[in-house]
Amino acid sequence: MNVDVAGALSALTVHRPVFHSERDFQHALAWQIQLASPEAQIRLETRPRRGLHLDLLVRLDGIRTAIELKYLLAALRATVGEELFDLPHQSANDISRHDVVKDITRVEAMLADGYADYGYVVVLTNDRGYWQPAARADTIDTAFRLHEGRVLQGTLGWAARAGTGTTTGRDTPLTLAGQYACHWRDYSEVSLTDCRTAIFRYLLVNISVGRTSQPSAQPMSGPQPAPFTPRPAGSARQEILTAARKLASRSPDGSFTLTQILAELRRTGSRYAESTIRTHVTSRMCGDSPDHHGTTYDDFERLDRGRYRLRMASPRRAGPDYPGDHLANDG
């Protein structure tokens, strides 16, 4: 079976909201996958061929999954538990964006070579510059931008005015076989020593055999992904409760976070906007929140900032005009 990378990240955020380095992130994700699937064979830093390295290779039920990771940082200093994290600011975001796209082409090549059956590229960052669009449209790395909603496809290269200091060793245009939409997901919120909060988000690029921007004239070889099956229609509250019960069953104390709810609903293909899910969890479905809606529920109790537990009581107040469970009014 294919590895549930999104599920592993959702579980990982509970214990590891921040990492010291990319290698620390790599090891922690591998460990989480191993915990979820003890029968999996996991290898770090493999060499598919001379000059080509892979961060993680997971073999599970005969299916091989190649995973490349990027951990891109804005400076922060925080203490989590009793552990100090003093992370540097990584400049040269343009080069990092290029290298993310290059990772996608590398994983595509591994799948084409038959080294793996499925692939993922994971980008974890607390730098908003990666998920937000540029202030101007003519940056030298426009082709490599990763902001929310961007679709990566075709042959991508630097703008003509890019300097050699940026392009040296990266001057060959990158050609993608597939089309990849950039959708960023919340990972964690970390309280800093200066009382600010760092928000970590991640981009998960799913790469499959035969996933090309143009139909291929040749039959595809190797295991093929199962077709996507839309989820049955359900209210926002119903979907959130389903996710909450699943997360609670995996948690030692039955608790879960808003970030985990968001990740679980994205993983399972929820049609509801992030703002709708946030409003339901933090307000409409939490019995400890002020009563600002026509109908509110006592589904959750708030344990701490962003952390909840199921309570499952009846509605606090019902109103005939409550739109909370109808898609048209749920954002």
Side-chain angles (χ1 to χ4, degrees), residues 6 21 25 34 88-89 131 136 192 197-199 221 262 277 279 282 308 313 315 317:
S21 64
F25 177 34
Q34 191 76 78
H89 181 74
W131 65 74
R136 47 185 290 183
L192 307 182
T197 299
I199 297 174
S221 61
L262 290 165
I277 298 169
T279 298
T282 62
Y308 303 86
R317 182 162 62 89

Side-chain angles (χ1 to χ4, degrees), residues 8-316:
L9 289 166
S10 177
L12 190 59
T13 185
V14 177
H15 308 290
R16 293 301 310 272
V18 61
F19 304 93
H20 293 286
S21 64
E22 188 167 288
R23 186 65 61 87
D24 184 25
F25 177 34
Q26 179 191 70
H27 179 268
L29 181 60
W31 185 257
Q32 185 60 52
I33 293 172
Q34 191 76 78
L35 289 175
S37 302
E39 69 278 19
Q41 297 178 346
I42 304 177
R43 302 292 183 264
L44 279 65
E45 300 291 343
T46 65
R47 293 177 172 81
R49 61 172 182 258
R50 186 179 295 274
L52 185 62
H53 291 229
L54 174 65
D55 288 336
L56 293 176
L57 178 66
V58 183
R59 184 186 293 269
L60 183 60
D61 292 341
I63 301 298
R64 300 157 302 167
T65 302
I67 305 173
E68 279 289 307
L69 305 175
K70 282 285 186 287
Y71 188 46
L72 307 176
L73 298 172
L76 68 78
R77 185 178 176 84
T79 299
V80 179
E82 298 180 353
E83 190 172 4
L84 174 65
F85 293 82
D86 192 356
L87 305 183
H89 181 74
Q90 297 173 340
S91 55
N93 289 23
D94 48 2
I95 291 176
S96 294
R97 293 187 186 97
H98 168 279
D99 290 353
V100 169
V101 177
K102 186 173 182 179
D103 276 353
I104 297 174
T105 65
R106 291 169 65 249
V107 174
E108 284 186 333
M110 293 178 204
L111 269 60
D113 288 348
Y115 184 77
D117 306 300
Y118 295 96
Y120 293 93
V121 173
V122 184
V123 183
L124 178 62
T125 181
N126 65 323
D127 188 336
R128 297 172 182 269
Y130 289 104
W131 65 74
Q132 293 180 342
R136 47 185 290 183
D138 59 344
T139 61
I140 63 171
D141 65 336
T142 295
F144 306 120
R145 303 293 296 197
L146 305 170
H147 55 267
E148 177 67 29
R150 170 77 197 282
V151 177
L152 299 169
Q153 60 182 319
T155 299
L156 307 175
W158 298 101
R161 58 189 176 82
T164 56
T166 298
T167 63
T168 298
R170 296 176 170 84
D171 52 352
T172 302
L174 302 174
T175 299
L176 295 168
Q179 298 178 351
Y180 305 100
C182 296
H183 294 304
W184 289 85
R185 312 177 184 188
D186 290 340
Y187 179 75
S188 66
E189 295 184 6
V190 178
S191 297
L192 307 182
T193 54
D194 61 4
C195 298
R196 294 181 300 121
T197 299
I199 297 174
F200 279 86
R201 306 191 79 195
Y202 71 92
L203 175 67
L204 180 61
V205 181
N206 183 355
I207 303 166
S208 301
V209 174
R211 184 176 180 175
T212 58
S213 54
Q214 298 293 333
S216 174
Q218 301 296 325
M220 295 182 291
S221 61
Q224 299 302 312
F228 173 72
T229 303
R231 292 184 52 146
S235 70
R237 179 176 176 242
Q238 289 169 341
E239 290 194 6
I240 292 168
L241 284 173
T242 298
R245 293 182 186 117
K246 184 174 182 179
L247 292 168
S249 69
R250 297 190 300 213
S251 172
D253 62 356
S255 69
F256 47 86
T257 66
L258 172 60
T259 298
Q260 288 178 294
I261 290 285
L262 290 165
E264 178 66 18
L265 289 181
R266 287 195 186 92
R267 186 185 69 80
T268 55
S270 175
R271 55 194 176 144
Y272 292 98
E274 179 176 315
S275 58
T276 298
I277 298 169
R278 286 180 177 275
T279 298
H280 275 68
V281 174
T282 62
S283 183
R284 283 176 173 158
M285 297 174 65
C286 181
D288 304 316
S289 298
D291 189 353
H292 293 317
H293 305 281
T295 299
T296 51
Y297 294 86
D298 201 14
D299 296 319
F300 304 150
E301 60 175 313
R302 182 181 288 110
L303 304 178
D304 198 355
R305 181 179 179 182
R307 182 171 292 278
Y308 303 86
R309 180 184 293 142
L310 284 162
R311 183 149 49 195
M312 297 304 298
S314 58
R316 285 186 280 163

